[in-house]
Amino acid sequence: MKKLTLLIILIIFGQELYSQKLLTSWSQQDIENYTREMYDNAQKLTTTELLTKNINDDSWSSVFLTLNASVNNYKENKEYLIELAKQITHVEETQLKGTSRLIIWDRIITGDIIFEGKGLVISNDLYKLGGRANQLLQNLTNKNFGYVSINSTEEELNKLQQSWLNYLSGKVVQEFNPIEYPNAKIPEVSSLNAVQALIISLQDNPKKDVITKSCLKNVYKLDEMPKEKGSSASYCNPDTYTYGYLGMLFGDNKIDEKKDAKWWLNYWNENHEKLKWNNDLGVYEVEK
């Protein structure tokens, strides 16, 4: 049994970044297939071209370029904002490529994204056209009237769209207040959606193995994980972070090696409907 020392204090922090949150660390260098030339070309796009680009974006780098170019050039362009609002009710989905260190909890649950233990947490479903449009609007205006999730209904999307159109026409619109988790040590992973995603991410996945092996090779020049415990190379395995997050969320003061991936999955299946946030302790408990 080992105390959660450095694992508990993983330099985890939340930082506002165009309505996103950073988990542990992230930079634009983490985006796959993202170059200076692509950035420069995106800055030249007109609003009409960006609207079309948002419809067709099929990679995380492409989505980020649309976001970056929009924020840099068209924050005050009301016509562009209105046209983005019109895209919110579109439910077309794109299977994004190159999603390394992009964190969308629902897409980790579905297996579309592999959780790497750190990255950029985004609440909108960027796989949906409406989600990308809503993200753009939030970034451009610093306003939040709600999110587009994987399960958003037609009624919810219509309501969200109307909120944006009302706001853009000068009407007063009440902003959305996300659920808060008092005394949470890591707010970015404290929603039940995040808990489920963390547990799903612990299960065997060949893609996760590739990420681990690539890190070991590129960072530590190793072909396999060291046998000794406590090696910094263990952080090449996303599960090292995930076990730490789950331990904090459920109030574990020590690493319990009996709580493996199978244990957590069984625990979730048996208790997820009874989990309640303890505001004083900042942890989840099973409601009696």
Side-chain angles (χ1 to χ4, degrees):
M1 305 292 279
K2 182 179 177 184
K3 291 198 174 188
L4 292 173
T5 53
L6 292 179
L7 189 58
I8 286 284
I9 309 170
L10 288 171
I11 320 176
I12 299 166
F13 60 94
Q15 177 179 321
E16 290 293 345
L17 182 73
Y18 297 125
S19 80
Q20 292 86 238
K21 295 285 187 179
L22 300 184
L23 178 62
T24 301
S25 65
W26 181 86
S27 75
Q28 293 185 28
Q29 292 180 339
D30 292 320
I31 302 176
E32 300 175 61
N33 188 32
Y34 184 75
T35 66
R36 179 72 196 197
E37 182 181 6
M38 294 166 65
Y39 170 87
D40 290 339
N41 289 336
Q43 303 306 308
K44 304 171 187 175
L45 297 177
T46 65
T47 56
T48 300
E49 290 170 329
L50 284 171
L51 287 165
T52 300
K53 185 176 183 306
N54 192 44
I55 293 172
N56 297 320
D57 281 342
D58 61 357
S59 68
W60 169 219
S61 61
S62 295
V63 172
F64 191 83
L65 284 165
T66 303
L67 173 64
N68 196 296
S70 298
V71 169
N72 287 346
N73 301 298
Y74 299 113
K75 289 185 73 170
E76 307 301 326
N77 190 314
K78 186 165 288 189
E79 289 183 4
Y80 180 49
L81 299 179
I82 290 173
E83 290 304 314
L84 284 172
K86 292 178 181 178
Q87 290 186 345
I88 283 181
T89 53
H90 289 241
V91 296
E92 294 89 343
E93 266 190 40
T94 302
Q95 284 299 310
L96 297 182
K97 301 184 290 290
T99 55
S100 177
R101 299 193 183 179
L102 171 64
I103 301 172
I104 303 173
W105 297 121
D106 282 336
R107 292 296 173 175
I108 292 171
I109 292 171
T110 60
D112 292 309
I113 292 177
I114 301 300
F115 182 60
E116 297 183 40
K118 52 190 173 182
L120 186 65
V121 183
I122 293 184
S123 297
N124 287 298
D125 183 9
L126 300 183
Y127 283 63
K128 290 181 177 288
L129 172 55
R132 297 195 292 275
N134 196 50
Q135 187 70 32
L136 281 161
L137 284 165
Q138 289 175 341
N139 291 168
L140 288 161
T141 65
N142 287 323
K143 296 291 182 180
N144 184 359
F145 301 118
Y147 299 111
V148 175
S149 77
I150 197 171
N151 298 313
S152 291
T153 64
E154 180 180 356
E155 180 182 359
E156 290 169 338
L157 293 176
N158 285 329
K159 182 179 179 181
L160 178 59
Q161 181 184 70
Q162 194 58 53
S163 292
W164 279 114
L165 292 174
N166 287 342
Y167 167 74
L168 293 170
S169 68
K171 296 179 181 179
V172 176
V173 182
Q174 183 175 358
E175 289 200 57
F176 175 75
N177 293 315
I179 297 173
E180 294 185 359
Y181 300 90
N183 292 314
K185 301 174 184 67
I186 40 172
E188 296 75 26
V189 298
S190 294
S191 69
L192 278 176
N193 241 24
V195 173
Q196 183 182 8
L198 291 172
I199 291 171
I200 293 298
S201 77
L202 285 176
Q203 310 311 307
D204 290 339
N205 190 315
K207 294 180 181 178
K208 183 172 61 176
D209 296 338
V210 170
I211 291 170
T212 301
K213 290 179 180 178
S214 176
C215 173
L216 286 172
K217 190 72 173 178
N218 295 332
V219 179
Y220 295 96
K221 313 302 180 187
L222 296 172
D223 294 322
E224 59 182 21
M225 189 69 69
K227 297 292 190 294
E228 65 273 12
K229 293 184 179 181
S231 169
S232 59
S234 66
Y235 288 98
C236 280
N237 185 347
D239 292 351
T240 302
Y241 292 92
T242 305
Y243 281 120
Y245 297 147
L246 288 170
M248 284 183 276
L249 286 166
F250 288 87
D252 293 341
N253 293 318
K254 298 179 180 179
I255 294 176
D256 187 345
E257 295 182 357
K258 294 179 181 178
K259 294 184 178 181
D260 58 10
K262 183 178 180 181
W263 185 95
W264 278 111
L265 187 59
N266 289 336
Y267 181 86
W268 173 261
N269 291 335
E270 293 174 6
N271 299 298
H272 68 273
E273 293 181 350
K274 298 178 287 185
L275 291 176
K276 182 178 180 181
W277 186 257
N278 185 315
N279 291 337
D280 296 325
L281 298 178
V283 298
Y284 276 106
E285 296 176 336
V286 176
E287 194 170 23
K288 304 298 183 183

